[in-house]
Amino acid sequence: MKNHYLKPKLFALVLLVISLIMIFGGFFMESETYDMNYFGIAFIGIFVLIMALVTFFVYNSLQRKLNALLDATPLLAFDLTEAQAQQAIEENNAVLKSYNFRIWLTIVGFCALFALTGPLFADDWGLWALICLGIAVFFTFVYYIATAARVNRFKKADHHVILNEKGIYFMGQYYTFGMPGVWLSQAEYDPQKGLLTLMVTAATTAGPSDSTVVIPIPDQYKDKIESILGELPTQTF
């Protein structure tokens, strides 16, 4: 877990190498051939360089916060049993599929609306409707692929659960409560099902984006869960 974000940081390193090759190669070829088109390669390399740096610093910051979570005194720290892990997979997959379906339905609804109102602002309504259909089909594929990828990730994840006031590490996923624009918006415990539900909200340009985690709580923590919830930094938008 200390190298949880190694892959994206390695990807950033690859982008860095590519960007430097494009930048220096573009300027060198321009100086040799006097072809101004090579300046375009160099400027694209600059954008790739920016992507590499942003990717590295964002994931490096997340890794530091995850390390701080792992080093701090936990409020909850346990490994799920096989039965609890299966329950967690089912509960979280249901939440994920419901959330992704609502997003997909909203996008497809807007595509249908734009297709029906096409005659108001499009000369070729048939072409306009075909474009809207293509967008709807594309996002349908995205919906199924993204949902299947997250579901498969849960199946392959470890069973570790660590929670404190800094964030939550749950079955291979990390959510911080301490980054600007990110906060814990909900923390509820269902004593009948023995499930703790946490909702982490991030401020985006399109509005608040929620990520929900459902955690089966072992018997040894059930008597302490109310006091644990009181120590979490829950806040509303």
Side-chain angles (χ1 to χ4, degrees):
M1 287 187 285
K2 290 289 187 178
N3 293 308
H4 187 67
Y5 293 107
L6 179 61
K7 288 182 179 179
K9 288 197 288 186
L10 290 176
F11 176 69
L13 178 61
V14 173
L15 287 181
L16 176 63
V17 173
I18 293 173
S19 68
L20 294 177
I21 292 173
M22 294 178 69
I23 292 171
F24 289 108
F27 284 121
F28 174 77
M29 291 303 297
E30 191 281 330
S31 66
E32 291 293 318
T33 64
Y34 299 101
D35 186 347
M36 295 294 290
N37 289 326
Y38 286 109
F39 273 130
I41 296 177
F43 283 119
I44 293 174
I46 293 173
F47 284 116
V48 176
L49 174 63
I50 294 172
M51 289 173 55
L53 294 176
V54 170
T55 301
F56 176 82
F57 284 115
V58 167
Y59 282 102
N60 193 54
S61 175
L62 285 173
Q63 185 65 63
R64 289 201 307 270
K65 291 183 181 298
L66 174 56
N67 292 344
L69 168 71
L70 298 175
D71 294 336
T73 303
L75 298 173
L76 287 175
F78 58 90
D79 286 348
L80 297 170
T81 64
E82 289 297 331
Q84 290 171 336
Q86 186 59 39
Q87 182 186 18
I89 290 172
E90 293 174 358
E91 293 287 345
N92 285 278
N93 284 347
V95 172
L96 173 66
K97 290 177 181 178
S98 175
Y99 180 77
N100 286 357
F101 180 77
R102 291 197 303 270
I103 294 176
W104 171 81
L105 194 62
T106 301
I107 293 173
V108 171
F110 274 108
C111 288
L113 178 63
F114 286 139
L116 293 174
T117 58
L120 298 177
F121 46 83
D123 295 331
D124 190 340
W125 180 79
L127 178 60
W128 178 262
L130 188 62
I131 293 172
C132 292
L133 176 62
I135 295 173
V137 170
F138 171 76
F139 278 103
T140 299
F141 278 114
V142 171
Y143 161 69
Y144 281 109
I145 292 172
T147 302
R150 288 291 300 275
V151 169
N152 289 333
R153 186 185 301 176
F154 262 125
K155 293 179 180 178
K156 300 176 182 178
D158 59 54
H159 296 174
H160 303 314
V161 179
I162 302 174
L163 170 69
N164 63 22
E165 68 280 358
K166 297 179 181 294
I168 171 77
Y169 179 89
F170 171 69
M171 295 186 69
Q173 301 184 68
Y174 170 59
Y175 301 91
T176 179
F177 307 151
M179 290 186 70
V182 180
W183 64 95
L184 179 65
S185 55
Q186 178 183 337
E188 295 181 353
Y189 177 66
D190 184 342
Q192 294 182 339
K193 296 182 178 180
L195 297 175
L196 173 63
T197 301
L198 302 177
M199 181 181 291
V200 181
T201 302
T204 68
T205 54
S209 176
D210 300 323
S211 297
T212 302
V213 180
V214 183
I215 308 169
I217 300 300
D219 292 337
Q220 66 265 31
Y221 284 107
K222 289 182 178 179
D223 293 336
K224 307 174 185 177
I225 194 67
E226 292 300 331
S227 61
I228 291 173
L229 291 181
E231 296 187 47
L232 294 177
T234 309
Q235 56 181 304
T236 57
F237 181 67

